Amino acid sequence: MAIGDVYEAEACEDVYYVDTGMYDVPEYGSVYILDAERPALVDTGLGTNYERILDAMDEVGIAPGELEVIALTHIHLDHAGGAGYLAEECPNATVYVHELGTRHLVDPERIWEGTKGAVGDQIEYYVEPKPVPEERIVEVTDGDEIELGDHTFETVHAPGHAPHQVVFYDQTIDGVFTADAAGIYTPSTDEVHVTTPPVNFELEQALADIETIRELGPETLLYGHFGPAPTADRLDEYAEKLDEWVAAVAEKRTELGDDEAVADYFVETVETPEIWGERKASAEVAMNVRGVLVSLDRGD
């Protein structure tokens, strides 16, 4: 697998995905392309190198003017930062987003400033998002459907990671586009990793989101980070890891009494995929620690 490569999603008819090269590492950011009667994207990546998505669409056989749907799982910029750029390049596409996310697409200044605080020096990998015209946006909420002709996305609210997060269940492929609700998956190691960034992570709701996906009974999980995988026991594995991770951070905070020391401890001790490289892996762990600490401060 390499940055910019386009793959067919096994066992998922009409579904392709591209490695966007997020943070300049492979196997971290994927955007999905559905070659449906109404062609669609699921998520848009950072906006940086959005041309890779257009190139992937071209490889699949979808011209920019033919794209009809940009379905966003949530408005964190690693999933929606390219929405304005792709809406501009694809003039016939409608952007679908949870109702709590609309204002951040129309006026992305607040999410841009918040992202700077959350990711620190990793902001160099981002590009400031372009606004999406409000008339190009359709708001969705739990239970709404996005009709693609030969596919249908059922919108399922999954707010444990962020209040504006949804997952999309496509019965045609018996798959769920999981956003960040099922963790992070690395295909080269066949491992699931936690994602608990600030500022809205809530453990109990995140565990409830996992259960919601389990109740849908999908055959395939289509991870935003990274790529599709058979569901198998991955949801159980992720729930266990998430619970253990939060407990470990809470225990270490009690022991050390200093949040920076807690972050340093986990950056030094948590095993991360080699494919991400040291810089991205360290930043990922530190951000996840901060998310848990913020959650603990709220009393979640």
Side-chain angles (χ1 to χ4, degrees):
M1 288 186 169
I3 291 171
D5 283 353
V6 181
Y7 309 93
E8 290 188 54
E10 292 184 14
C12 296
E13 186 178 3
D14 302 324
V15 180
Y16 302 81
Y17 62 105
V18 57
D19 186 333
T20 64
M22 194 176 291
Y23 305 110
D24 285 348
V25 299
E27 283 191 30
Y28 190 84
S30 46
V31 167
Y32 291 93
I33 303 167
L34 268 78
D35 189 16
E37 290 178 11
R38 296 185 68 212
L41 296 178
V42 177
D43 286 338
T44 66
L46 293 171
T48 312
N49 300 320
Y50 70 89
E51 296 90 349
R52 287 176 181 151
I53 300 170
L54 295 172
D55 290 344
M57 288 167 49
D58 181 66
E59 188 170 331
V60 172
I62 301 170
E66 295 173 328
L67 188 73
E68 294 193 34
V69 171
I70 299 174
L72 301 177
T73 59
H74 57 304
I75 53 84
H76 288 168
L77 294 188
D78 55 334
H79 292 259
Y85 294 89
L86 290 170
E88 187 172 81
E89 294 290 334
C90 304
N92 297 314
T94 299
V95 179
Y96 293 79
V97 67
H98 188 269
E99 57 192 4
L100 295 178
T102 299
R103 62 192 178 101
H104 296 292
L105 296 182
V106 175
D107 180 5
E109 182 177 357
R110 184 176 176 183
I111 193 72
W112 176 238
E113 294 302 320
T115 301
K116 291 179 185 178
V119 305
D121 64 5
Q122 285 192 102
I123 199 67
E124 71 178 81
Y125 296 111
Y126 291 70
V127 63
E128 186 170 356
K130 286 187 176 183
V132 177
E134 191 165 7
E135 64 272 14
R136 300 276 302 278
I137 296 172
V138 170
E139 294 181 339
V140 294
T141 190
D142 190 67
D144 287 347
E145 293 185 345
I146 303 173
E147 294 291 346
L148 305 178
D150 48 350
H151 292 258
T152 300
F153 287 165
E154 178 187 344
T155 302
V156 181
H157 196 204
H161 178 78
H164 40 73
Q165 179 178 255
V166 299
V167 300
F168 298 116
Y169 176 55
D170 182 345
Q171 187 174 5
T172 300
I173 61 169
D174 195 15
V176 172
F177 296 89
T178 63
D180 288 324
I184 291 175
Y185 177 67
T186 49
S188 60
T189 61
D190 193 27
E191 294 177 301
V192 177
H193 313 272
V194 299
T195 175
T196 59
V199 294
N200 298 121
F201 167 74
E202 295 182 14
L203 175 60
E204 293 306 316
Q205 184 59 60
L207 293 172
D209 294 344
I210 297 169
E211 183 61 30
T212 296
I213 296 173
R214 184 185 287 110
E215 289 173 357
L216 292 169
E219 180 179 339
T220 304
L221 302 175
L222 297 105
Y223 292 90
H225 312 282
F226 168 87
T231 302
D233 61 356
R234 288 185 173 86
L235 293 173
D236 293 334
E237 177 187 352
Y238 185 55
E240 182 177 349
K241 284 189 174 183
L242 198 56
D243 223 351
E244 291 175 349
W245 166 247
V246 172
V249 173
E251 181 180 357
K252 190 57 64 173
R253 181 190 234 186
T254 299
E255 176 188 333
L256 298 179
D258 178 84
D259 287 356
E260 288 302 316
V262 174
D264 290 343
Y265 170 82
F266 286 104
V267 166
E268 293 172 5
T269 59
V270 170
E271 292 187 12
T272 53
E274 290 185 11
I275 197 167
W276 291 353
E278 182 177 351
R279 184 182 181 192
K280 173 55 190 165
S282 296
E284 184 79 19
V285 173
M287 184 169 61
N288 285 337
V289 171
R290 290 197 303 273
V292 173
L293 295 175
V294 169
S295 176
L296 292 171
D297 287 339
R298 288 198 308 264
D300 294 339

